[in-house]
Amino acid sequence: QVQLVESGGGLVQAGESLSVSCTASGNILSIYAMGWYRQAPGKQRELVATITSGGSTNYADSVKGRFTISRDNAKDTLYLQMNSLKPEDTAVYYCNAEIRSSWSGVKFDYWGQGTQVTVSS
């Protein structure tokens, strides 16, 4: 059993900062790429940022220069620092990770339950 649990999020005003984190737990053998996605009401889920196990990052154009993704491999934890937040950043933010389970030996895509980020204007 593998779980991704997000924390952080909340309500902030435009221009402020917020961070979210995601910790993987369970029968983990290896964690590969990790990422953050978000889904606003009435819209499809979209990629925010991804990071490889080696630390290479990729960002959506809409968040480049404002968001920073990072990970602590020793803690199996993913982070997203969000600065200069805009109302259009309002969404449920989901953590995603490619994890090979020590129980099955199979690599699978896991998702967190999501955490709400609301930016007021």
Side-chain angles (χ1 to χ4, degrees):
Q1 189 81 3
V2 173
Q3 284 188 319
L4 296 178
V5 178
E6 294 127 340
S7 60
L11 172 63
V12 297
Q13 293 189 333
E16 293 184 342
S17 298
L18 198 63
S19 64
V20 291
S21 62
C22 168
T23 299
S25 63
N27 300 314
I28 297 169
L29 184 60
S30 299
I31 302 178
Y32 301 91
M34 304 182 80
W36 289 100
Y37 292 74
R38 66 187 182 187
Q39 186 166 20
K43 295 188 177 181
Q44 290 189 332
R45 190 173 298 190
E46 63 176 5
L47 179 147
V48 176
T50 61
I51 184 168
T52 67
S53 57
S56 296
T57 59
N58 178 57
Y59 295 92
D61 288 342
S62 59
V63 306
K64 278 181 183 176
R66 300 188 298 121
F67 290 11
T68 301
I69 188 171
S70 61
R71 62 191 286 174
D72 185 333
N73 292 330
K75 296 182 178 179
D76 291 340
T77 299
L78 177 70
Y79 305 96
L80 184 69
Q81 176 65 40
M82 301 177 285
N83 298 328
S84 302
L85 281 160
K86 304 175 181 180
E88 51 263 44
D89 294 318
T90 296
V92 177
Y93 283 70
Y94 296 92
C95 171
N96 170 263
E98 294 178 329
I99 297 175
R100 188 178 300 280
S101 164
S102 58
W103 177 72
S104 67
V106 176
K107 188 167 69 171
F108 192 75
D109 225 17
Y110 291 88
W111 291 89
Q113 79 285 357
T115 185
Q116 178 69 46
V117 172
T118 303
V119 184
S120 64
S121 57

Coordinates of all heavy atoms in Angstrom, one line a residue, residues 24 36 82:
A24 N 5.1 10.8 0.6 CA 4.8 9.4 0.2 C 5.1 8.5 1.3 O 6.1 8.6 2.0 CB 5.6 9.0 -1.0
W36 N 3.3 18.3 -9.5 CA 2.1 18.9 -9.0 C 1.2 19.2 -10.2 O 1.7 19.7 -11.3 CB 2.4 20.2 -8.3 CG 3.1 20.0 -7.0 CD1 4.4 20.1 -6.7 CD2 2.5 19.7 -5.8 NE1 4.7 19.8 -5.4 CE2 3.5 19.6 -4.8 CE3 1.1 19.5 -5.4 CZ2 3.2 19.3 -3.4 CZ3 0.9 19.2 -4.1 CH2 1.9 19.1 -3.1
M82 N 4.9 28.6 -3.8 CA 4.2 29.5 -4.8 C 4.3 30.9 -4.3 O 3.8 31.3 -3.2 CB 2.7 29.0 -4.8 CG 2.5 27.6 -5.2 SD 0.8 27.0 -5.2 CE 0.6 26.8 -3.4

